[in-house]
Amino acid sequence: MERESFEDDEVADILNKNFVSIKVDREERPDIDHIYMEVCQILTGSGGWPLTIMMTPDKKPFFAGTYFPKKSRLGYTGLIALLNKISDAWQNQRDELLSSANRIIEILSSEEREEDKNTVNEDMLHKAYKSLSSSFDEKYGGMGKAPKFPMPHNIMFLLRYYRITKVEKALEMVIKTLESMYRGGIYDHIGFGFARYSTDDKWLVPHFEKMLYDNALLMYAYTEAYQAAKKDLFKDIAMQIGEYILREMTSPMGGFYSAVDADSEGEEGKFYIWDKKEIYEVLGQEDGELFCKAYGITDKGNFEGKNIPNLIENESYERVSKDENLELLRNKLYEYRETRVHPFKDDKILTSWNGLMIAAMAFSGRVFDNKKYIDAAAKAADFILKNLRRQDGRLLARYRDGSADYLGYLDDYAFLIWGLIELYQVVFDEKYISIATELTDDMIKLFYDKNQKGFFLYGIDGEKLITRPKESYDGATPSGNSVAALVLLKLSRLANRNEYEDIANEMFQNFGGKIDRYPAGYACFLSVYMLAAKESVEVVLVGERGSKETSEMLRILNSEFMPHITISLKKNGDDNYVMLGEKTTAYICRGHSCSKPINNMDEFSEAILSG
């Protein structure tokens, strides 16, 4: 639409004559995007991007749609015809448009105020699982048919559901989906990292755009799956995602960039696809043949006459990442690919998405004992806190070219706090818990709805829009409310703030009505509910960070899938926790009571693994 219409003189003349044109970056203004996407769904029954809205000067919408070609064709109304028609209606039927706009505002406001309170309960967990299970693709993994999205929070839900219920199929769905996504072309086998979604059911042909949030959540999910299933392949994939992010998506200052476009030289995927002949020219006949056989490269091609490297037909796919010869060939092709015209990189640094990647880097660094990832998480966190937090403590949403703008939204707070909690649990620097607590207090002050419970999308100090939405549905990313509930529960233990747990419980008591309509759409929120309902555990280690005993206890904690556990490290005597016999000592606390102190490694391992 940008190329066809917004850069076109004929369209520009009409717009400039009759309208005030506003282009919104939905990543910088998720509040605007959320509200007017709801308008589009009310008016058309569906939504999508690009989003086209016509509204009155006081922001009241009366028309919504998505894509419009420049001129009418094949049943599509053209943008020129639409603009002229609306301009005429504004001049001659304005009262009708204003009446329509007011009616839309009434509907929108009633939906935002809708009171459908009910307590979240265990039955909703089973309903969500059954829904995911019934839509599961047994052949290629994932949910439903094309297009297929990774939806890592569904994976995380299934892992937690399996841990609690021991339903084997839940784990099988996770393994099948994660393996199939990796085998497909949605994964960049040359340079690593996942594209945004697959256009087909076998994960072969992606929309080639790469998003920071997808790769953060997938890195986290593959790491959890490694803990749960003990498959080295999942560790390799998580590590490759981390390598991609550090190489391609990390600014020199430490913050993480937002996205890489799908197009280069005006063609989608051109940067990523290959001729078989080209492979042979780079690798030579013998090595070229080996690579083409492994990665499904043919003369005919699998995408518009060219090839997307994939492992869909390769039954030895689990061994590919360990094959040193294939690694050398991949590296040669990567170096060759680097000479091509690169897709555009969106180098804005978003607080919310950085929070997700900080969480992923810290968590994977902890599980895989990878200092590079831990350092990257710390550097990114320090960058955000230095550059996207005002002197009064208020978070901002976006940094680019030395400028930080837009008051932070709920997602900025919740996601960053999550990242700081994960970072604390690997470096055990109290400053991260202290800052996380400050930000949580601000999040409650700025966003919490004391009457209906839960958190609004934008703060009390934000621009007043036509409505103040509250999102709990877990879409491409987990909702801010889901992650807010998560961090409230974790910080209630780590910072000894019981009132945080009370707020999370209020959310569980009030969100059930909405969730019960479609539990599978609230996978992250239900994952947090499992944390609360199935008794979380705090492990307090008392000792020195680098000691042999501390390292061994941390190794035991990090090797198993235990999402219900929070870990803290204290010095001897802190908060009345003491060492026994000058050895690192563990206190295992469930609810508000702690076990007797343990400093025997076998006892510690048994106590942890039994619960």
Side-chain angles (χ1 to χ4, degrees):
M1 238 182 133
E2 184 161 27
R3 285 194 301 270
E4 285 179 355
S5 297
F6 301 140
E7 295 176 356
D8 179 84
D9 288 341
E10 186 179 1
V11 175
D13 286 343
I14 298 169
L15 285 169
N16 292 339
K17 181 180 178 185
N18 300 313
F19 296 83
V20 176
S21 302
I22 304 170
K23 185 177 179 183
V24 178
D25 184 329
R26 58 182 289 254
E27 292 159 8
E28 294 182 343
R29 293 300 304 266
D31 50 346
I32 293 173
D33 176 69
H34 178 95
I35 290 169
Y36 291 103
M37 182 58 71
E38 281 198 48
V39 169
C40 187
Q41 289 167 338
I42 289 168
L43 289 174
T44 70
S46 63
W49 297 276
L51 177 61
T52 305
I53 297 285
M54 310 284 180
M55 65 179 82
T56 67
D58 54 355
K59 301 183 256 192
K60 295 180 179 179
F62 54 81
F63 178 88
T66 52
Y67 167 74
F68 295 96
K70 178 185 171 183
K71 296 192 174 176
S72 301
R73 57 176 167 81
L74 298 175
Y76 280 95
T77 300
L79 185 62
I80 287 177
L82 178 66
L83 293 174
N84 286 328
K85 186 175 180 181
I86 287 177
S87 179
D88 180 70
W90 184 251
Q91 297 300 323
N92 301 305
Q93 298 168 272
R94 187 173 303 189
D95 288 346
E96 291 178 34
L97 293 184
L98 292 174
S99 175
S100 174
N102 287 328
R103 177 64 184 141
I104 291 164
I105 296 296
E106 285 176 19
I107 295 170
L108 196 61
S109 299
S110 67
E111 287 192 356
E112 294 295 347
R113 289 195 307 268
E114 183 180 337
E115 293 187 34
D116 190 7
K117 294 181 181 179
N118 197 1
T119 301
V120 180
N121 57 53
E122 193 164 317
D123 186 50
M124 295 175 196
L125 302 178
H126 303 312
K127 283 183 181 177
Y129 168 71
K130 285 176 184 173
S131 177
L132 293 172
S133 180
S134 65
S135 66
F136 180 66
D137 182 341
E138 300 283 352
K139 187 172 183 181
Y140 294 115
M143 311 303 159
K145 301 300 180 186
K148 276 185 177 172
F149 290 80
M151 300 298 285
H153 34 289
N154 286 349
I155 298 295
M156 296 184 213
F157 168 84
L158 289 169
L159 285 170
R160 284 156 179 76
Y161 188 82
Y162 166 72
R163 188 185 74 82
I164 286 172
T165 66
K166 305 302 181 211
V167 173
E168 288 291 333
K169 189 181 177 185
L171 182 60
E172 290 165 9
M173 289 162 65
V174 166
I175 292 171
K176 180 69 176 177
T177 299
L178 293 181
E179 287 182 344
S180 297
M181 287 196 306
Y182 164 71
R183 294 174 75 178
I186 189 175
Y187 189 68
D188 178 2
H189 291 276
I190 306 299
F192 308 143
F194 280 90
R196 190 159 158 245
Y197 64 87
S198 174
T199 61
D200 62 288
D201 62 348
K202 61 172 74 170
W203 306 100
L204 173 63
V205 180
H207 173 55
F208 289 89
E209 185 179 24
K210 290 181 181 177
M211 311 301 294
L212 181 68
Y213 63 79
D214 280 325
N215 283 284
L217 292 166
L218 285 165
M219 187 179 183
Y220 200 102
Y222 273 100
T223 303
E224 286 197 332
Y226 167 75
Q227 290 178 312
K230 300 293 187 286
K231 289 180 74 72
D232 284 343
L233 177 65
F234 294 161
K235 175 181 178 179
D236 293 342
I237 297 164
M239 300 276 276
Q240 288 177 358
I241 295 171
E243 184 181 329
Y244 165 70
I245 295 297
L246 294 183
R247 187 185 65 230
E248 307 283 348
M249 299 287 284
T250 306
S251 76
M253 298 173 291
F256 300 113
Y257 298 136
S258 293
V260 175
D261 274 5
D263 300 5
S264 56
E265 300 182 79
E267 292 181 33
E268 177 162 352
K270 185 173 182 180
F271 181 75
Y272 298 101
I273 58 179
W274 301 82
D275 282 321
K276 185 175 181 181
K277 184 176 137 188
E278 193 178 21
I279 301 278
Y280 278 68
E281 286 172 357
V282 177
L283 300 181
Q285 183 72 26
E286 187 177 337
D287 285 343
E289 191 172 330
L290 174 67
F291 184 88
C292 289
K293 185 177 178 184
Y295 285 96
I297 309 292
T298 65
D299 292 316
K300 181 182 175 184
N302 55 33
F303 176 71
E304 298 178 356
K306 295 198 174 186
N307 291 276
I308 302 168
N310 71 91
L311 298 168
I312 295 171
E313 303 299 330
N314 188 334
E315 293 303 320
S316 302
Y317 62 93
E318 289 198 60
R319 294 200 291 272
V320 166
S321 63
K322 302 289 189 190
D323 189 314
E324 291 182 4
N325 195 19
L326 281 173
E327 184 180 1
L328 287 171
L329 302 183
R330 282 198 308 270
N331 288 339
K332 279 188 183 179
L333 290 172
Y334 173 79
E335 293 299 331
Y336 173 81
R337 196 177 77 174
E338 282 295 282
T339 66
R340 295 176 177 175
V341 175
H342 282 241
F344 173 77
K345 187 176 293 179
D346 185 346
D347 62 358
K348 67 175 176 282
I349 294 171
L350 298 170
T351 300
S352 58
W353 296 2
N354 270 253
L356 295 177
M357 186 52 78
I358 292 164
M361 284 282 179
F363 177 60
S364 295
R366 169 159 69 94
V367 172
F368 303 136
D369 194 22
N370 187 301
K371 189 173 184 300
K372 270 196 312 185
Y373 297 164
I374 297 166
D375 289 347
K379 191 174 179 183
D382 293 345
F383 172 83
I384 297 293
L385 294 170
K386 180 181 177 183
N387 294 282
L388 281 148
R389 197 180 186 205
R390 293 190 319 207
Q391 286 191 335
D392 63 358
R394 186 64 162 95
L395 279 183
L396 300 174
R398 188 269 284 148
Y399 177 94
R400 187 169 186 273
D401 285 346
S403 173
D405 292 292
Y406 308 110
L407 293 177
Y409 306 98
L410 173 61
D411 290 10
D412 296 298
Y413 278 80
F415 294 1
L416 180 60
I417 295 164
W418 184 20
L420 295 175
I421 290 170
E422 293 291 354
L423 187 52
Y424 167 76
Q425 291 184 115
V426 64
V427 299
F428 299 111
D429 186 335
E430 288 290 338
K431 79 174 182 182
Y432 293 120
I433 289 298
S434 176
I435 296 168
T437 305
E438 289 173 14
L439 291 173
T440 301
D441 289 339
D442 287 346
M443 180 176 76
I444 295 166
K445 181 175 70 178
L446 291 165
F447 303 96
Y448 191 59
D449 182 353
K450 291 180 182 176
N451 297 319
Q452 303 299 325
K453 312 309 176 187
F455 292 84
F456 291 113
L457 179 57
Y458 65 85
I460 54 174
D461 56 347
E463 179 185 354
K464 301 300 182 284
L465 302 175
I466 54 174
T467 184
R468 196 174 177 207
K470 188 191 299 176
E471 182 60 88
S472 53
Y473 180 85
D474 298 311
T477 60
S479 73
N481 271 290
S482 295
V483 180
L486 173 70
V487 302
L488 286 165
L489 285 175
K490 286 188 175 288
L491 273 180
S492 71
R493 276 87 174 146
L494 291 169
N496 195 26
R497 296 285 294 271
N498 293 337
E499 67 271 28
Y500 290 169
E501 185 175 8
D502 293 340
I503 293 172
N505 285 331
E506 287 176 346
M507 296 167 74
F508 298 135
Q509 290 160 13
N510 285 274
F511 280 24
K514 188 177 285 189
I515 290 172
D516 198 37
R517 292 181 216 156
Y518 180 51
Y522 300 83
C524 185
F525 194 85
L526 290 174
S527 291
V528 181
Y529 171 73
M530 282 188 265
L531 172 65
K534 299 300 178 180
E535 193 171 63
S536 60
V537 175
E538 183 185 3
V539 177
V540 181
L541 304 181
V542 187
E544 293 301 318
R545 173 72 179 89
S547 75
K548 181 181 175 184
E549 293 93 351
T550 302
S551 298
E552 179 59 18
M553 285 182 173
L554 289 172
R555 187 197 65 75
I556 292 167
L557 288 167
N558 295 333
S559 63
E560 299 296 322
F561 177 61
M562 296 183 288
H564 60 303
I565 284 181
T566 54
I567 310 167
S568 58
L569 179 66
K570 298 185 182 294
K571 291 181 178 175
N572 193 23
D574 284 357
D575 299 331
N576 297 318
Y577 290 103
V578 294
M579 293 171 66
L580 298 181
E582 298 185 1
K583 290 170 65 177
T584 300
T585 302
Y587 294 78
I588 300 173
C589 307
R590 291 179 168 87
H592 296 285
S593 62
C594 296
S595 70
K596 63 173 184 146
I598 302 170
N599 66 358
N600 177 281
M601 212 57 67
D602 291 335
E603 281 184 42
F604 175 75
S605 182
E606 184 180 346
I608 288 296
L609 299 180
S610 65

